[in-house]
Amino acid sequence: MLRTGPSRALLRSLASSAAPSVRATSHSGAVGQLQLTSRLCTLSTKRPQTLAKPLTAAFARLQTTQTQWDKIDKKQEGKVGKEKLEASPELVSSESSTHPIFGEVGTEEKEDDTDMMAGVKADLRTIKETFSLDDVPRQAYYIGLAGVLPYLGTSLSTVYCAWEITNSAEFGSGFLLSHQTAELALHILEPLQVGYGAVILSFLGAIHWGLEFAQYGGAQGYPRYMIGVVAPAVAWPTILLPAEYALITQFLAFNFLYYADARATVRGWAPPWYSTYRFVLTFIVGASIVVSLIGRGQIADQIGRLPGPADKIKQLRDSQVAALEQEEFARRHKASQDDEEDDD
């Protein structure tokens, strides 16, 4: 195929076109090599070098940097080489070739003895420190605890009377008291506990008046006086309520007043120990109220209810209305009799 005329003409044309480029290359070979080299370098620089550069820099620093550990102490090496290794078969075992992760070979590790009761002990310690009241003056401490004894006594007495009433209803007779005696004692305890609670609430409110008179923490004026006014305003109307509603109202009043006392302590209106002192007393009183309510709730359907102050007021009003009606009836009856006599 290549011996035909057209094919030979094509080959001659290709050879003639390639000859000038070869001659140009022979005249400027150095320039072509420089251009080729520069292109290869340019292409190589465009490739990612992120891995090569840090490794190259690390090897360069390793070759140029020498420390004291790079120098071999031949004298010490020879001395160590002459020493005889001591056998320690007690350290050789099936696991001797493995190194512990959290310890060292041949070193006794002390296991941490976790106390499972640590949290409970911490809570008990906190309770003990709270109720110890070391910062409270001893006079206020003793008188304050003595002040909650009547409340605690009436509460426990209420529970005992409720227990006697329950025994009487179940077995026909109580342990020491009969049903009627226990019920009568319970009705006597009602006004005592409610009335004493009203007195204590009024006393706690009056403390803020005394602090204001002494200007403890500065003169606060109406904000501190209002605490002493609101306490009796809430406490004394409870004596007109039935026993259960009165005890619940006083329970809320004691907690509200404790909150006010705690805020006053934070603001510097009361001594620093006063909030803790009030917490302990409020805890005892609140627990006594809850116990009384539980005891009364167990026998609510087994006892009658004596007329309270509200019932007596209602009875008085009813009697006055009845007296007015009788007076009006008598007046009309007399007027009718007078009319009949006039007619005669």
Side-chain angles (χ1 to χ4, degrees):
M1 183 182 70
L2 296 177
R3 293 180 179 179
T4 60
S7 61
R8 290 180 179 179
L10 179 61
L11 289 175
R12 282 196 299 269
S13 63
L14 290 175
S16 61
S17 63
S21 62
V22 173
R23 286 194 299 268
T25 304
S26 61
H27 289 294
S28 58
V31 178
Q33 290 178 0
L34 291 175
Q35 293 177 354
L36 181 59
T37 304
S38 63
R39 289 176 183 175
L40 292 176
C41 293
T42 305
L43 292 176
S44 64
T45 55
K46 294 181 181 179
R47 297 177 182 176
Q49 300 293 329
T50 56
L51 295 177
K53 287 183 178 180
L55 292 176
T56 305
F59 284 124
R61 284 197 303 268
L62 182 61
Q63 293 177 359
T64 56
T65 305
Q66 290 187 358
T67 61
Q68 58 179 351
W69 308 110
D70 297 330
K71 299 178 181 180
I72 300 176
D73 191 353
K74 296 183 179 180
K75 183 178 180 181
Q76 183 65 23
E77 291 288 338
K79 183 178 179 181
V80 173
K82 294 179 181 178
E83 293 180 357
K84 184 178 180 181
L85 297 177
E86 296 181 359
S88 53
E90 67 277 2
L91 299 179
V92 179
S93 64
S94 60
E95 299 178 355
S96 61
S97 59
T98 60
H99 194 283
I101 299 176
F102 299 104
E104 295 293 337
V105 178
T107 303
E108 296 183 1
E109 297 291 339
K110 295 182 179 180
E111 297 182 358
D112 295 336
D113 189 10
T114 304
D115 189 3
M116 303 300 294
M117 299 294 292
V120 177
K121 291 180 180 178
D123 295 338
L124 293 176
R125 192 181 308 110
T126 302
I127 295 174
K128 181 179 178 181
E129 292 175 355
T130 301
F131 282 86
S132 63
L133 300 176
D134 295 332
D135 298 333
V136 180
R138 293 299 92 182
Q139 296 87 351
Y141 178 77
Y142 296 139
I143 295 175
L145 291 180
V148 300
L149 289 180
Y151 221 111
L152 187 61
T154 54
S155 176
L156 295 178
S157 300
T158 300
V159 174
Y160 178 74
C161 291
W163 180 71
E164 288 284 4
I165 293 172
T166 303
N167 283 342
S168 299
E170 186 175 355
F171 301 108
S173 62
F175 182 71
L176 294 177
L177 303 176
S178 63
H179 186 282
Q180 293 78 9
T181 305
E183 184 176 354
L184 179 60
L186 191 63
H187 290 314
I188 294 174
L189 291 172
E190 290 177 4
L192 291 178
Q193 188 172 17
V194 174
Y196 189 72
V199 171
I200 294 299
L201 284 171
S202 301
F203 172 77
L204 293 176
I207 290 177
H208 291 275
W209 278 56
L211 294 173
E212 182 63 24
F213 290 161
Q215 292 189 355
Y216 188 94
Q220 305 301 327
Y222 287 110
R224 186 147 57 176
Y225 281 128
M226 286 302 298
I227 300 176
V229 172
V230 171
V234 174
W236 284 105
T238 59
I239 63 177
L240 303 176
L241 301 176
E244 291 80 6
Y245 297 102
L247 291 175
I248 293 174
T249 304
Q250 289 186 1
F251 178 82
L252 298 176
F254 273 112
N255 284 275
F256 171 76
L257 195 56
Y258 163 70
Y259 173 77
D261 292 339
R263 295 298 302 169
T265 304
V266 172
R267 294 174 181 175
W269 297 0
W273 49 265
Y274 187 65
S275 61
T276 307
Y277 176 67
R278 284 282 291 107
F279 170 77
V280 174
L281 298 183
T282 304
F283 177 81
I284 298 174
V285 172
S288 301
I289 294 176
V290 171
V291 170
S292 297
L293 290 173
I294 293 175
R296 297 184 64 84
Q298 298 297 323
I299 57 171
D301 56 342
Q302 301 179 21
I303 60 174
R305 189 172 69 86
L306 292 178
D311 297 327
K312 293 180 180 180
I313 293 175
K314 184 177 181 299
Q315 185 179 359
L316 178 61
R317 293 182 60 184
D318 293 341
S319 64
Q320 291 175 348
V321 171
L324 290 175
E325 290 177 353
Q326 292 179 0
E327 184 179 354
E328 181 68 17
F329 177 77
R331 187 179 62 79
R332 290 181 179 180
H333 181 68
K334 185 178 180 181
S336 62
Q337 288 180 352
D338 294 339
D339 292 340
E340 291 178 356
E341 291 178 356
D342 292 339
D343 292 340
D344 294 340

